[in-house]
Amino acid sequence: MSIHETSVVHIQQLEVDYGQTYLVDDACSSAGEFNGVPSDPAGIVRVEKGKALLFVGLQYGTVGFTVAVSDRDPGADLDGYEDIVEIGFDSPSGRVSLEEWGGARAHALPPLSAGPGTYRLRYHARGMDEEDCETVTEHYLLQIWPAPPGGPAVLKTASASLQRWLDFERSH
C-alpha cells in the first residue's frame, strides 16, 4: 500500500451465529476458543494474539459488514454508528480474514499495510438493539491500521447491547 491508502471490503450478508464473528490472522489455524473475560476488555470486541472475537447484536442471521484496511488512522465515523470501540491487535503474518461462526465461511481481506506487527482495531456498530432476523438491520465497520500496542477505548456508546457487555466486564 502506498501512503494514505485504504482498501475496503463490503460483505453484504455476513452470517452470524451465537452473536459473533471473528477476525483471524493467517498464522492461526482458526478462531478457536476465547478464554474468560480478557484483561483489557472493550465490550463488543476481544482480542488474543492473531485473532479477535467481534460480537454483534443478532443471535443468528445476517448482518452487513465492512472492513477498511488503512495505512494510518482513518478516523472514526462518529455520526454513522451508535457504538464505537477500539483495541490493539497483534498480527503475526500481516494477513487476516473475517470468519463466520464455526468456520462456515472465511472472507479474505486485503493484506495489512505494514505486514506482521501491531495494529489498532476500531469496531463500529449500528442497529445492535434491533431484533429482526429476516432483514439486514445491523451494520458493522471494522477499521484496521498500524499502531503501537495500546489498550481498549470506548469512543461512543448508545446501544443497550454494548452497555450490557461493558457492565458484564466491569463486574468480573
Side-chain angles (χ1 to χ4, degrees), residues 100-155:
E100 295 177 356
W101 189 86
R105 279 192 305 182
H107 302 270
L109 299 176
L112 300 182
S113 60
T118 58
Y119 289 82
R120 194 80 177 154
L121 303 180
R122 183 178 295 131
Y123 189 41
H124 299 66
R126 178 176 60 235
M128 283 190 77
D129 291 340
E130 301 295 324
E131 295 183 15
D132 184 355
C133 296
E134 302 301 319
T135 317
V136 177
T137 57
E138 294 183 37
H139 192 273
Y140 298 87
L141 167 63
L142 179 65
Q143 297 171 318
I144 308 169
W145 71 94
V154 177
L155 304 183

